[in-house]
Each structure stands twice: as C-alpha cells, then as structure tokens.
Amino acid sequence: MPSLLRPLLAACLLLLLPGSQAWIPRYNNGFHYQDISNGNGNGEIYFNGVRLLVESPELSVSASRGSSVTLPCHYHYEPEPSTPRRTRVKWSWLPANTVTAPVSLQDLAMETEVMVAMGNRHRSYGGFKGRVRLRRSVPGDMSLVINGLQLNDTGRYRCEVIDGLEDESVTVDLEMRGVAFPYFSQKGRYLFNFFEAKQACKDQEATLATFEQLFTAWEEGLDWCNAGWLADGTVQYPITAPRDGCGGDDLAPGLRSYGQRHRLLHRYDAFCFSASVKGTVYFLKHQTKLNFTEAVQACASDGSQIAKVGQMYAAWRLMGLDRCDAGWLADGSIRYPITKARANCGPPEPGVRSFGFPPLNQKFAVYCYR
C-alpha cells in the first residue's frame, strides 16, 4: 500500500511547487471558457461563448389568500445550444418584513429555500413542502406555482438557475390582496409591545402589516392618528389630512414614522393586514339583541362561529360586505361594515365602523363566519 501512495504524494507535491507546470484537468460543461495565466501562478477564467439568461415578465405578482399563484421565471441560452443541457433551479424566499431595496448581501443570507429541482427530481422545504411545483409549460419554464396561498407567503422570491459555473437569477415580489387596518387592545391605547401586537393580529385572522401594505392603505385614504407596530419592527401611522397632534399641519400627508423601536419595552397599537378568506362573514338575523356570551352561542347554533375583526375587514374590502347594523365580533368589539356610505351610517367615507369595546353584558346584533 505505501508503494501505491508514493506516486500520488509526488504528484501533489509537484502541484504545490512554485512554477510547476503539472497538467490540471480543465472543467468542461459545454460553455466556452478560456484559462488565462496572469504570471503569478494563478489563473482567471474568461467567458467567451454561450450565455445563460434568466428573466421574468412580471417582477411583482398579487394574489388572494387561499388561491394558487404562479411566479414567472424563464431561462434560455444565447446562442441556443444544439443539445439539451442539464440545469438545476433553486427557488428561495425572503419574507416581506425583511425585504429591503436594493437587495443586500445580508438579505441573501436570510433567504429561505423553497424548492430545488434538477430534471424530474425536486424537493420542497419547510412550510412550502407539498404546496409548490414548477410549471414547466414550455422548455426553459421554471415558474413556481404555490397552492393554498397563506398570509405569511408574501415577500421576495428568487429564481436561480445553475449550469456548471454559470449561475443567474431573477426576483419576483409576491403581494397579497387585502386590507390594512388599525387595531388596539381592549384595555386601551398603546399597550402592545411588538410581540403582543403580532399575536393580537394573529388572533383576529390577520398579520402585522408591512410598510408597503400600510402605504397602500394610506393611498386609499386611511387616516389614523395613532402609532402602531409594523412587521419590520418600525412604528408608523398614516395621515391624509395633516393637523396638530398628528405630526403638525405643516407636514405633507404621508406615513409618519418613529423608526425602529425596542420590540419588548416600547408599547403602541398595531396595524394588521387581512386577506380574503374562504368562508363568508354574515349578519345573523335574530329576534332579539344579544350580549356577548349569547352572541357567541347564537353563531354556534347557526353552524358557524363569531366573526373576527380581520375577517370582517376582508369581507368588507374584498367581498363588498355592507350592513348598517352594529354587531359583536370575536374580540368583544362592536363594528359594522359600510361599502356604500349613506345617511345614519357613520362618516361619508366607506369603512368598517367601530364602537370600541362596550361592557360584555350590553345588547347588540352579531356577525358570524362560516
């Protein structure tokens, strides 16, 4: 055995000696590369042939919760090779609350793998397992299909195609169609730290809103003079009509920002985001008004459950729910949705009206969800 190892050791030593001219096998994947010596024993590889191009016709896609969505990604070569090539594709994801523009190296390090595929073999990961596939409608189509879209699926997706030394990618942003809304504790204003705000939104079938979602709500007319947490840990609030006490009347309309705050120690309200739901929110017709306990039981007797705040906002914005009757919701608040503003139904603008959190023994109607 030692005699067999000596030639291998000699070859290794030869490679390590300065100026040695030992033969090194060239990498060949069908592309044209040229190995150029720069005079100090190191080499640089110059590309002088086929180019791999990865593109997407849509850099931003929006979809509804619970639906299927396709994130487009296609690759091709210039010039096209005469024989099929063996490529690998990797889809990765950067959650919406961590997306920055432009993408930094830190962002890339935070990306989560969604799917890896080569030929007919593929593997999906984490919460995407069993929910994703490649479309493959035509040669070069590596578009990602996500089924059963969830609230937390929003963010920036990267389609990376790898062929030997060639590695090209494109990103596609996935946005959820829905509505951002302000939310505060039953006990009063400015009582949530970041983690409590996140849980409060989740309890109401929603998530903490991203900056982009709150900005869209502001563009659509949301004016709210109370600061709330967003998904990135900043605290902001939207103002369409500048005034004293809301940043001052000398500032332009927009999002007022307190910047990043301590997620555990500082306390504010929350801005939540709700997307469409598969079920239906409806006003329960009942012979009498109900206290909160009776309202919960009435929905259960009707084969449903008392509606949550996020469900009502989604039904109002995305399904046109319009009812001028105040009713209980699951968090103990009293609200009603107005799509077509009219007399005796609150302000002149559409919206979800709120009476806050009255004593639970008071009598109102109820909104259910099934």
Side-chain angles (χ1 to χ4, degrees):
M1 181 64 71
S3 60
L4 295 176
L5 292 176
R6 288 192 187 102
L8 292 176
L9 291 173
C12 292
L13 290 173
L14 182 60
L15 291 177
L16 294 175
L17 289 175
S20 59
Q21 301 297 320
W23 175 81
I24 303 175
R26 289 177 178 271
Y27 175 80
N28 185 0
N29 68 342
F31 290 94
H32 301 290
Y33 297 93
Q34 186 175 2
D35 213 356
I36 306 295
S37 175
N38 58 15
N40 62 0
N42 296 320
E44 294 184 20
I45 297 178
Y46 291 90
F47 178 79
N48 64 355
V50 179
R51 289 179 60 88
L52 170 64
L53 299 175
V54 179
E55 302 168 328
S56 176
E58 299 177 72
L59 299 182
S60 181
V61 174
S62 62
S64 300
R65 182 182 178 191
S67 66
S68 295
V69 64
T70 300
L71 307 183
C73 174
H74 301 84
Y75 78 91
H76 66 278
Y77 298 94
E78 292 183 355
E80 287 291 340
S82 57
T83 58
R85 302 197 52 77
R86 190 171 181 81
T87 57
R88 181 166 69 95
V89 63
K90 181 176 79 170
W91 276 94
S92 54
W93 166 63
L94 188 66
N97 61 322
T98 56
V99 169
T100 61
V103 177
S104 66
L105 292 177
Q106 183 180 5
D107 292 334
L108 296 178
M110 295 172 63
E111 287 184 343
T112 299
E113 285 192 346
V114 174
M115 165 180 274
V116 175
M118 176 179 285
N120 293 324
R121 295 178 297 170
H122 67 272
R123 175 178 294 178
S124 53
Y125 300 90
F128 295 97
K129 193 170 185 179
R131 293 198 298 127
V132 294
R133 63 179 176 85
L134 296 181
R135 184 171 60 182
R136 296 185 185 275
S137 59
V138 295
D141 181 11
M142 293 297 177
S143 301
L144 183 71
V145 179
I146 307 177
N147 297 313
L149 203 60
Q150 301 175 4
L151 277 174
N152 290 325
D153 288 342
T154 56
R156 178 166 295 162
Y157 289 76
R158 178 179 300 278
C159 173
E160 183 179 8
V161 179
I162 305 163
D163 185 337
L165 294 180
E166 290 298 291
D167 182 343
E168 298 293 336
S169 67
V170 68
T171 61
V172 182
D173 289 340
L174 173 61
E175 301 174 349
M176 198 78 68
R177 286 195 288 267
V179 56
F181 61 93
Y183 191 77
F184 57 92
S185 169
Q186 297 182 25
K187 299 178 181 179
R189 299 282 189 180
Y190 289 7
L191 293 179
F192 296 138
N193 64 30
F194 174 81
F195 305 101
E196 291 165 343
K198 189 174 183 180
Q199 183 62 47
C201 291
K202 183 178 180 180
D203 291 342
Q204 296 310 311
E205 200 70 18
T207 59
L208 271 178
T210 64
F211 171 85
E212 290 77 11
Q213 290 163 350
L214 183 61
F215 186 83
T216 298
W218 169 76
E219 288 183 314
E220 294 172 348
L222 180 61
D223 184 284
W224 195 257
C225 193
N226 290 280
W229 290 103
L230 296 182
D232 60 0
T234 62
V235 173
Q236 308 195 38
Y237 61 99
I239 295 296
T240 59
R243 54 200 181 274
D244 288 337
C246 300
D249 58 7
D250 57 340
L251 293 179
L255 297 189
R256 311 284 193 247
S257 178
Y258 293 176
Q260 291 282 341
R261 311 302 287 172
H262 195 290
R263 299 190 177 197
L264 186 61
L265 299 180
H266 290 148
R267 294 184 175 273
Y268 298 93
D269 293 343
F271 285 101
C272 304
F273 178 82
S274 179
S276 61
V277 290
K278 293 183 178 180
T280 300
V281 176
Y282 64 97
F283 178 82
L284 180 65
K285 295 182 179 179
H286 201 271
Q287 295 179 349
T288 62
K289 300 292 185 181
L290 309 165
N291 63 34
F292 180 73
T293 302
E294 293 167 341
V296 172
Q297 183 57 49
C299 287
S301 298
D302 200 48
S304 59
Q305 60 188 28
I306 189 168
K308 298 181 178 181
V309 177
Q311 292 168 340
M312 172 167 279
Y313 268 95
W316 162 70
R317 171 53 59 85
L318 302 172
M319 301 178 186
L321 183 63
D322 184 284
R323 184 84 191 195
C324 192
D325 294 278
W328 289 107
L329 294 182
D331 65 338
S333 65
I334 299 295
R335 306 174 194 254
Y336 64 99
I338 295 296
T339 302
K340 297 179 181 178
R342 51 200 182 272
N344 302 319
C345 292
E349 300 83 14
V352 174
R353 320 294 194 215
S354 175
F355 288 97
F357 298 91
L360 299 180
N361 59 0
Q362 288 193 11
K363 302 278 188 173
F364 293 94
V366 64
Y367 288 88
C368 303
Y369 170 80
R370 74 153 65 99

